[in-house]
Amino acid sequence: MKPSLKTSISSLELSNPTVLASGILGNTGEALLRVAKAGAGAVTTKSVSLEPRKGHNNPTVIELEHGFINAMGLPNPGVEKFLKEIEIYKNSSVSKKVLIIASIVGDRISDYVEVALKLGKIPHALELNISCPNVETGLIFGRDPLNASELVKEVKANTELPVIVKLTPNADKLIEIAEEVEKAGADAISAINTLGPGMVIDIEAGKPVLSNKFGGLSGEVIKPIAVRCIYEIAQNVKIPVIGIGGISDGKDAAEFLMAGASAVGIGTAVKAHGISVFKKVCSELSEFMQRKRFKNIEELRGIALRG
Ligand code: RRO
């Protein structure tokens, strides 16, 4: 019999564990619908802020041998405008089966709260992005357990939606932060955001390639760090974890699930290989589970923690 790929993240039921990670194809309702129809179990929007943001000047993304480096600088049209895109998604019947997670970001707690209030119950869940390496304020919450905890408490007090908190690998107190956000009421954790900051220099021009000079690394190159982060987070909290970082095939997904993740976020691989990656990851994961006689995701989840 074919294994079941169903999974859940808090109250969110997913038909399979693949989730479109924030930042790729998450700018419009139409693009999010394309990803949902291509087989994702859930989709996450690009991070949205209270006011529109232009982002950094080009070049903002560079392809490397085994990944990407980006310093987009949070470009987005602001929550008022973005709400319409989420509504486009919600008005499609696909949204009943493939849930939409709104990634939100701010410079201060009141920004996150206002964005959450404006979004109301339109998305199915909120993801608090406290981990963007490309803006000064991105790490105020992501690197400090107390700030992260305060933020989660305030947002939780102002929304009825499940709250997922996206953590950064660029924090020396990762475990403490995970524990604090759990205590503050977070419903789930997603990890990791991009690694860094890193830098690439154009040796012909003798200057950094990114206009922002520094950027966050994503893709295959960061996978072992991401797996370790998920393993350590899952060892220390009970809330579900969405594992993200360099996942592009069924084996990668199995690795994150074994490290304790309940679902897997896919971002850079969509950029590199297209939206067929969701079906590919699911069919390869299913084959792997069948070969190893895992009947469902729950049997696979966290076995490396116990092994
Ligand atoms: O827009 C960005 O520069 C960006 C964001 Br919000 C993020 O969370 N992670 C990232 O690598 N880039």
Side-chain angles (χ1 to χ4, degrees), residues 90-247:
K90 277 295 291 286
N91 288 337
S92 160
S93 59
V94 177
S95 73
K96 308 242 175 333
K97 291 203 186 100
V98 185
L99 307 182
I100 179 163
I101 303 165
S103 169
I104 70 174
V105 74
D107 291 338
R108 52 192 78 78
I109 291 179
S110 59
D111 291 353
Y112 283 90
V113 169
E114 265 192 75
V115 175
L117 287 172
K118 284 192 193 292
L119 290 172
K121 292 212 300 196
I122 303 193
H124 297 103
L126 299 178
E127 179 176 81
L128 310 186
N129 183 353
I130 60 167
S131 42
C132 175
N134 299 327
V135 290
E136 192 78 0
T137 50
L139 297 176
I140 291 177
F141 302 105
R143 283 193 177 145
D144 184 306
L146 284 183
N147 288 347
S149 162
E150 274 311 298
L151 172 68
V152 174
K153 280 185 199 155
E154 286 297 321
V155 175
K156 279 294 288 181
N158 286 283
T159 183
E160 290 174 34
L161 299 178
V163 171
I164 303 162
V165 186
K166 186 161 183 181
L167 302 186
T168 173
N170 316 319
D172 53 8
K173 294 181 182 155
L174 178 67
I175 307 306
E176 210 183 311
I177 292 166
E179 288 171 343
E180 286 303 319
V181 301
E182 178 178 49
K183 272 192 236 153
D187 298 282
I189 285 172
S190 56
I192 57 177
N193 206 317
T194 50
L195 180 71
M199 180 188 256
V200 176
I201 291 177
D202 176 343
I203 56 167
E204 295 301 327
K207 60 175 194 174
V209 180
L210 290 167
S211 75
N212 185 53
K213 297 193 179 96
F214 310 122
L217 277 175
S218 64
E220 200 185 323
V221 68
I222 71 167
K223 199 184 77 176
I225 290 179
V227 172
R228 186 268 301 167
C229 290
I230 300 312
Y231 184 93
E232 289 196 323
I233 293 168
Q235 247 179 348
N236 289 282
V237 300
K238 292 197 175 64
I239 52 177
V241 181
I242 305 174
I244 312 166
I247 296 160

Side-chain angles (χ1 to χ4, degrees), residues 9 105 258 260 307:
I9 304 160
V105 74
M258 286 182 172

Side-chain angles (χ1 to χ4, degrees), residues 7-21:
T7 189
S8 58
I9 304 160
S10 176
S11 59
L12 311 171
E13 303 286 337
L14 276 60
S15 64
N16 75 68
T18 63
V19 178
L20 174 71

